[in-house]
Amino acid sequence: MAARTPRPLSGFPELLPEERVVEEHVLDVLREVFELHGFAGVETRAVEPLSVLLRKGEIDKEVYAVRRLAEVAEDGAAAGAGGDDVLALHYDLTVPFARYVLENAGKLAFPFRRYQVQKVWRGERPQEGRFREFRQADVDVVDAGSLAPHHEAELPLVMADAFARLPLPPVVMQVNNRRLVEGFYRGLGLADTAAVMREVDKLDKTSPERVRASLVDGVGLGEREADACLALATLRAEPGSTGFVDEVRGLGVRDELLDQGLDELAAVVAATGAVGGGSFRVVADLSITRGLDYYTGTVYESRMTGYEHLGSICSGGRYDALADDGRTTYPGVGLSLGVTRTLVPLLQRGLLRASRPTPTAVLVAVADEEHRGASAAVAAALRARGVATEVAPSAARFGKQIRYADRRSIPFVWFPQEDGSHEVKDIRSGDQGPADPATWAPPAEDARPTVAWHEPTA
Amino acid sequence: MAARTPRPLSGFPELLPEERVVEEHVLDVLREVFELHGFAGVETRAVEPLSVLLRKGEIDKEVYAVRRLAEVAEDGAAAGAGGDDVLALHYDLTVPFARYVLENAGKLAFPFRRYQVQKVWRGERPQEGRFREFRQADVDVVDAGSLAPHHEAELPLVMADAFARLPLPPVVMQVNNRRLVEGFYRGLGLADTAAVMREVDKLDKTSPERVRASLVDGVGLGEREADACLALATLRAEPGSTGFVDEVRGLGVRDELLDQGLDELAAVVAATGAVGGGSFRVVADLSITRGLDYYTGTVYESRMTGYEHLGSICSGGRYDALADDGRTTYPGVGLSLGVTRTLVPLLQRGLLRASRPTPTAVLVAVADEEHRGASAAVAAALRARGVATEVAPSAARFGKQIRYADRRSIPFVWFPQEDGSHEVKDIRSGDQGPADPATWAPPAEDARPTVAWHEPTA
C-alpha cells in the first residue's frame, strides 16, 4: 500500500459507512417490494462477450474491455480486435438478462418475473448523476412467444409501491409508446424515422427551435412535417389523463401503428392513473423515446421533483425482439432504477441521512482485560435476541468507553457490575438503571440505524 | 442478441432462481450476524489502479486489466505498460479495504469494524471451487497505531456464530501464527525464511518427503533444519488444546519472535476453544502460512468436513503493515469467507435446496380480464401485510392458473368470488376455504422460500 493518502477515482463513487446505511436501507426496501410482487432475484456475471454487448452498436465507445494481464503481456494490442473471447463489463442489466433467459430458457417458468440489483459500468465522462460505476435495480417480466400488455401497467405500479416506502422527493414517471411515435412519423410519410427520433430526443437538452432546425436542415423534413413532429413531442397530459388521445388525433395523422400505440399508451395511463399518494405519478409524455434502440412499445422515464437535472432516474420499456434463439422469441418489459444516480447527489447534499454509521445498539463496557469474558457473555446474550452489540475494544476508563460509543452514536452502554448484576445507560439522556441481559431490549426505534430525509436548510 | 443459445463462460458461475434463493439466504445470515457483532457494511469500487493491486507482486498474472474500448482503439497495446491510470478489477477485498481506510481515515472512527460482501475477479484456471468471478464475505477490524490482540480471537467467534445458523457441513478452522513460524526458522539460523515457508505451504498438496527434498536440494537447508521445519509443520492439536506450545518448545529451538508467536497463538486457541456446538471448531495447525504475503501474525484457514478438496473456504489473518500513509499505520485482522467457493459445489450436488424458486406465497386467480382489477386489489391488500403475492398473468381456465402456481411451488391460490367473498386453496393439500384479504396470512413456514440441507442419497 502506498505510503501516502490515495485519492478517489472520478466516476467511481464510494460511500462512507453512514452513507452506506442509507443505500442499504433503500436496497432493502426495493428487494422487499420486488419480492412482495413475486419477482425472483437473479444475478448475472459482470462480464459478457463483447459480441453480445455490441450487437446493438449504440454505445461501443463506453464499454470497458476486460483482459487478464497475462494475456495483455502475451499479445500486446488486440483487446479491441473483436472475437467471441474478448470480454467486457456489462453496461446495463437488460442485455445480460436477455442472454440469461436464452441460456436457461428450458429451466425457467414463463412468464418469468425477476429483479436484479447489480453494478454496471460505462466509460462516460463523469458529471453529477453520471458515473462510470453505478448500481441499477431492475424489474422485468419476460414471456415466451407473447407477453400480455397488462404487464406494461404493472411495472410502474411496482415502482410506485417502492417509492411510497422510500424517503425521497416525489417522482413523476413519463410514459410514451414507440409504436405511437413510429406510426405518427410513418403516417406523415417520413422514411428515416430513427433519425427523426434522435433529434426529438434532444428536446430536454435544447430548444424546440433548434430541434426544428435540425429536422429541416439535417434530416431533410419539410416545414409542415417538422411542425407536426414537434407538435406531437410537446403534447403533455395531466397525471392519469388520457386526453392526449384526442389531441394526437387532432393533429390529423392517420396510421394503423399509430392507433395501436395510442391504445397501448392509453391503457397504461388509465391503469396507473389512480396510483400514488403523491410520491409517484404517471403521465403520458409524447417526447420520451429512450436512446437505446431495443425498445419496441411502451417506454418509461422518471424524474425526481426538484432534481430534474439528474435526468431520468428510472427508465425502461417493452422489448419484443431482444431475446430470440431462432425458435422462440422472449418479449419482455422492464424498469431500471438508477440507485447510485438517485442517491449519491442526495447524500452529497446531506439530504438523506442515517441515525448512526454502525448497526451497534449497545456497547458493553469492559472493567479490565481479565473481565473481558464477562462482557463478551453479556454481548452474546443480547445478540441471541437480535440486539446488535459490541464489546468495548479496550478496558480504558469508563469515560473513554462512553466516548467510543458517543462518537459512533451508539445509544446504549452496558456496565456489568462486580456483584454480577448489570446496569445500562442511555448515553443521550444519561438515564442509567438495572437491566437483565436475558430480557432487556432497546426501544424499537433504536434497534437498528434509521434513515430519514432532512429538508435543506437555507 | 444472438439467434442461438448462448453458452456459459467457464469460471463465471451463474445461479438459477432457486439456487439464488439459497445464496440470498446465506448472504442474509452473514449480514445479520456481522451486524449483530457491530460491523458496518462497506463497499468499495470494483476497480483499483494497477499500482495498488500489484504492490505485493504476488498474483500479477491473474489480475484483470480494464480499459475503455475507445482507449484501446486509440493507442493499441499498452494496457500492461503500467502507470497509475491503468485500472484493474480487484482480486480480493482486503487490499481495496486498506486503500479505503487510508483514503477516509479522517472520517472513520477507530477501531473500525467493517464487513464487505462483493464479487472479486482472478484469472485463474477454473476448476471445482476455483472461479474467475466469485463472491467473498469479509469481516475486518482495523485500528490506528496499534490493534488489540483480542480481535484475533474475536473474528473466529463471529464466523462461528454465522456457521451455527447456516445449513452447511461442520467447519474446522486451522489457526497458526506467522511470527511463530518466522521465529522458529530464525532460531534455526535460516536466512531465506520466505523460501522455506513457500515450500512448507505445499504440504497439503504433496508429500512431506517431497517438501523435505525441496527444502534440502532447492532452498539449501541442512538435513537437521529440514527435519525441524517438517516437525513443526506437522504438529496438530486437538480443538481448543494449547498442548502444541510444549510440543514446539520440545523441538529445542529458542527465539524471541517464536515465543511471541506461541503466546499469541495460544491466546487465540484458548479464547476460541469453547466455541461451536459442532458446527465450527478452532484448532492450532502449524502448517498453515497463507500464500499472500501481507499477513504478519495470526493466520487462519478453514475447511468443510467432507469437502476438504475445495480448499480453504474461510481464510485471513493479521496484517500490520498493509495500510500506512507515512504518518500512521493501520494494523488490522480479517477473515474472508468464500461464498461462491462454498455454495456452488454444494448447489451443483443438490445438497442445498430452496423450497421454491420464487418469493410468491399466493397467486390470485383472474376470472376474466375485466376482473383483473379485483384480483389486483386482493394482491395489494395481502402485500400491505407482507404477503408476497402475484396476480395470475392470464385469465385462463382455473386449472391452468393452478398449474402456473404448481410449477413454481407457490403454495396458495386465491379465488375472488362473484358475490364479493373470497376463497383460498392450499394446492398441496387441496384444502379450500373462505378467507378475508384484510386478515388472512399463510403459515409462517410458507411466507417465504426456506432453505435446507438435503443429505446425499446413495
Side-chain angles (χ1 to χ4, degrees):
Chain A
M1 186 56 56
R4 56 188 172 84
T5 306
R7 282 169 310 172
L9 278 179
S10 174
F12 294 84
E14 288 186 326
L15 303 181
L16 289 169
E18 57 267 36
E19 297 172 326
R20 176 69 180 155
V21 169
V22 175
E23 186 182 43
E24 284 276 20
H25 171 73
V26 170
L27 296 175
D28 286 346
V29 168
L30 293 175
R31 176 180 167 191
E32 170 72 9
V33 170
F34 296 161
E35 295 193 347
L36 280 174
H37 283 265
F39 289 85
V42 157
E43 229 180 54
T44 59
R45 62 193 187 223
V47 299
E48 296 290 338
L50 204 49
S51 55
V52 170
L53 295 183
L54 297 190
R55 195 159 299 269
K56 291 298 172 179
E58 281 242 4
I59 61 161
D60 6 349
K61 291 289 163 41
E62 301 170 2
V63 168
Y64 280 104
V66 161
R67 297 195 87 195
R68 286 169 54 227
L69 221 47
E71 275 177 278
V72 175
E74 277 158 26
D75 56 28
D84 252 20
D85 54 346
V86 175
L87 299 178
L89 296 173
H90 56 210
Y91 58 77
D92 76 356
L93 301 177
T94 310
V95 171
F97 173 57
R99 190 264 312 151
Y100 177 94
V101 165
L102 286 183
E103 191 173 317
N104 298 293
K107 297 165 190 158
L108 302 173
F110 292 99
F112 178 52
R113 304 160 70 82
R114 86 86 174 79
Y115 73 92
Q116 187 169 349
V117 182
Q118 282 182 257
K119 288 188 179 160
V120 305
W121 293 268
R122 293 184 197 175
E124 295 182 282
R125 196 170 60 79
Q127 50 183 296
E128 174 151 61
R130 297 256 170 205
F131 302 97
R132 294 188 151 191
E133 172 177 273
F134 53 101
R135 184 180 266 106
Q136 300 279 108
D138 281 31
V139 270
D140 288 74
V141 182
V142 165
D143 208 344
S146 68
L147 176 76
H150 59 78
H151 295 296
E152 291 159 56
E154 184 188 10
L155 290 191
L157 296 174
V158 174
M159 282 293 175
D161 249 14
F163 278 100
R165 299 174 185 222
L166 290 172
L168 295 174
V171 168
V172 178
M173 172 172 273
Q174 302 137 302
V175 191
N176 195 6
N177 189 295
R178 280 267 187 113
R179 279 188 263 269
L180 187 165
V181 177
E182 186 90 25
F184 187 87
Y185 295 166
R186 254 179 32 180
L188 277 174
L190 309 182
D192 190 356
T193 58
V196 178
M197 238 178 259
R198 231 176 354 255
E199 294 307 321
V200 170
D201 199 33
K202 294 173 186 160
L203 267 174
D204 64 338
K205 294 186 196 75
T206 182
S207 68
E209 291 69 31
R210 286 205 173 173
V211 171
R212 189 179 186 282
S214 305
L215 286 173
V216 174
D217 303 337
V219 189
L221 264 57
E223 303 275 336
R224 197 185 65 86
E225 285 81 14
D227 285 338
C229 291
L230 275 173
L232 181 77
T234 49
L235 279 181
R236 294 287 180 285
E238 286 301 299
S241 162
T242 53
F244 66 88
V245 175
D246 288 339
E247 295 185 64
V248 171
R249 297 211 193 281
L251 297 175
V253 177
R254 293 288 170 268
D255 181 87
E256 222 174 280
L257 199 62
L258 168 61
D259 290 340
Q260 188 190 343
L262 275 171
D263 287 348
E264 289 175 2
L265 182 56
V268 170
V269 170
T272 57
V275 79
S279 60
F280 193 91
R281 292 176 305 155
V282 178
V283 303
D285 182 327
L286 282 72
S287 70
I288 301 296
T289 58
R290 298 302 300 151
L292 291 169
D293 67 359
Y294 49 67
Y295 296 120
T296 47
T298 299
V299 285
Y300 317 90
E301 293 193 356
S302 318
R303 284 166 174 80
M304 272 194 298
T305 307
Y307 301 87
E308 288 84 356
H309 69 284
L310 296 177
S312 177
I313 58 154
C314 183
S315 315
R318 176 172 177 131
Y319 43 92
D320 283 306
L322 189 57
D324 182 344
D325 61 12
R327 295 178 305 277
T328 313
T329 59
Y330 298 87
V333 58
L335 273 173
S336 179
L337 172 61
V339 177
T340 307
R341 172 179 291 189
T342 304
L343 294 186
V344 167
L346 302 178
L347 290 167
Q348 283 169 343
R349 288 170 171 79
L351 297 169
L352 270 179
R353 284 187 243 154
S355 58
R356 58 181 191 257
T358 168
T360 307
V362 180
L363 178 76
V364 184
V366 176
D368 53 57
E369 283 301 332
E370 274 93 84
H371 290 83
R372 175 168 296 279
S375 297
V378 172
L382 291 172
R383 283 183 204 121
R385 290 182 298 102
V387 182
T389 309
E390 275 179 56
V391 177
S394 94
R397 58 191 174 73
F398 285 152
K400 207 174 159 196
Q401 296 190 45
I402 290 172
R403 206 150 56 239
Y404 174 95
D406 191 40
R407 282 178 59 205
R408 293 160 177 79
S409 303
I410 297 171
F412 296 96
V413 178
W414 189 285
F415 299 98
Q417 308 290 302
E418 277 189 66
D419 64 1
S421 69
H422 299 270
E423 298 212 341
V424 67
K425 182 193 196 81
D426 182 330
I427 65 169
R428 298 159 301 186
S429 64
D431 293 346
Q432 182 167 341
D436 181 347
T439 56
W440 182 90
E445 66 271 23
D446 289 330
R448 292 295 158 98
T450 54
V451 171
W453 175 265
H454 293 253
E455 272 308 315
T457 49
Chain B
M1 185 57 55
R4 57 189 171 84
T5 306
R7 281 168 313 171
L9 278 178
S10 174
F12 293 84
E14 288 187 327
L15 303 181
L16 290 169
E18 56 267 36
E19 298 172 327
R20 175 69 180 157
V21 170
V22 174
E23 186 181 44
E24 283 276 18
H25 171 73
V26 170
L27 296 175
D28 286 346
V29 168
L30 292 174
R31 176 179 168 192
E32 169 73 9
V33 169
F34 297 160
E35 296 194 346
L36 280 174
H37 283 264
F39 290 84
V42 158
E43 229 180 54
T44 58
R45 62 191 185 223
V47 300
E48 297 290 338
L50 204 50
S51 55
V52 169
L53 295 183
L54 297 189
R55 194 159 300 269
K56 291 296 172 180
E58 282 241 5
I59 60 160
D60 7 349
K61 292 289 165 40
E62 300 169 3
V63 168
Y64 280 104
V66 161
R67 296 195 86 197
R68 287 169 52 228
L69 221 48
E71 276 177 276
V72 176
E74 276 158 27
D75 55 29
D84 253 22
D85 54 345
V86 175
L87 299 178
L89 296 173
H90 56 211
Y91 59 77
D92 76 357
L93 301 177
T94 309
V95 171
F97 174 57
R99 191 263 313 150
Y100 177 94
V101 166
L102 286 182
E103 191 174 316
N104 299 293
K107 296 166 192 158
L108 302 174
F110 293 99
F112 179 51
R113 305 160 69 81
R114 86 87 175 78
Y115 73 91
Q116 187 170 347
V117 182
Q118 282 182 257
K119 288 189 179 161
V120 305
W121 294 266
R122 294 184 195 174
E124 296 183 281
R125 196 170 60 80
Q127 50 184 297
E128 174 150 62
R130 297 257 169 204
F131 303 97
R132 294 187 150 191
E133 172 177 273
F134 52 101
R135 184 180 267 107
Q136 300 279 106
D138 281 31
V139 271
D140 288 74
V141 183
V142 165
D143 208 344
S146 68
L147 176 77
H150 58 77
H151 294 297
E152 292 159 55
E154 185 188 10
L155 291 191
L157 296 174
V158 174
M159 281 294 176
D161 249 15
F163 279 100
R165 298 174 186 221
L166 291 172
L168 295 173
V171 168
V172 178
M173 171 171 274
Q174 301 137 303
V175 191
N176 195 6
N177 188 296
R178 280 267 188 116
R179 280 189 262 270
L180 188 165
V181 177
E182 186 90 25
F184 188 88
Y185 295 166
R186 253 177 36 177
L188 278 174
L190 308 182
D192 190 356
T193 56
V196 178
M197 236 179 263
R198 232 176 353 255
E199 294 306 322
V200 169
D201 200 34
K202 294 174 186 160
L203 268 174
D204 65 337
K205 295 187 197 73
T206 181
S207 68
E209 291 70 31
R210 286 204 171 173
V211 172
R212 190 179 184 281
S214 305
L215 287 172
V216 174
D217 303 338
V219 189
L221 264 57
E223 304 273 335
R224 197 187 64 88
E225 285 80 14
D227 285 337
C229 291
L230 275 173
L232 182 77
T234 49
L235 279 181
R236 293 287 180 284
E238 286 300 299
S241 164
T242 54
F244 66 88
V245 176
D246 289 339
E247 294 186 65
V248 172
R249 295 211 193 282
L251 296 175
V253 177
R254 293 289 170 268
D255 181 86
E256 222 174 281
L257 199 62
L258 168 61
D259 289 340
Q260 188 190 343
L262 276 170
D263 287 348
E264 289 175 1
L265 182 56
V268 171
V269 170
T272 56
V275 80
S279 61
F280 193 90
R281 293 176 306 154
V282 178
V283 303
D285 182 327
L286 282 72
S287 70
I288 301 296
T289 59
R290 299 302 300 152
L292 291 171
D293 68 358
Y294 49 68
Y295 296 119
T296 48
T298 300
V299 286
Y300 316 90
E301 291 193 357
S302 318
R303 285 166 174 80
M304 271 194 298
T305 307
Y307 302 87
E308 288 84 356
H309 69 284
L310 296 177
S312 176
I313 59 154
C314 182
S315 315
R318 177 172 175 131
Y319 43 91
D320 284 305
L322 189 56
D324 181 344
D325 61 13
R327 297 178 304 277
T328 312
T329 60
Y330 298 88
V333 58
L335 274 173
S336 180
L337 172 62
V339 177
T340 308
R341 173 179 291 190
T342 304
L343 295 185
V344 167
L346 301 178
L347 289 168
Q348 283 169 342
R349 289 171 171 76
L351 296 169
L352 271 179
R353 284 186 243 155
S355 58
R356 57 180 191 257
T358 169
T360 307
V362 180
L363 178 76
V364 184
V366 176
D368 52 59
E369 283 301 332
E370 274 92 85
H371 289 84
R372 175 168 295 279
S375 297
V378 172
L382 291 172
R383 283 182 204 122
R385 291 183 298 103
V387 182
T389 308
E390 273 178 58
V391 176
S394 92
R397 56 191 175 74
F398 285 150
K400 206 174 160 196
Q401 297 189 45
I402 291 172
R403 206 150 57 239
Y404 173 96
D406 191 39
R407 282 178 59 204
R408 291 158 178 80
S409 301
I410 297 171
F412 295 97
V413 177
W414 190 285
F415 299 97
Q417 307 290 303
E418 277 190 66
D419 63 1
S421 70
H422 299 270
E423 298 212 340
V424 66
K425 181 194 197 80
D426 181 332
I427 65 169
R428 298 159 302 187
S429 65
D431 292 347
Q432 182 167 340
D436 181 347
T439 56
W440 182 90
E445 67 270 22
D446 289 329
R448 291 295 157 99
T450 55
V451 170
W453 175 267
H454 293 253
E455 273 308 315
T457 48

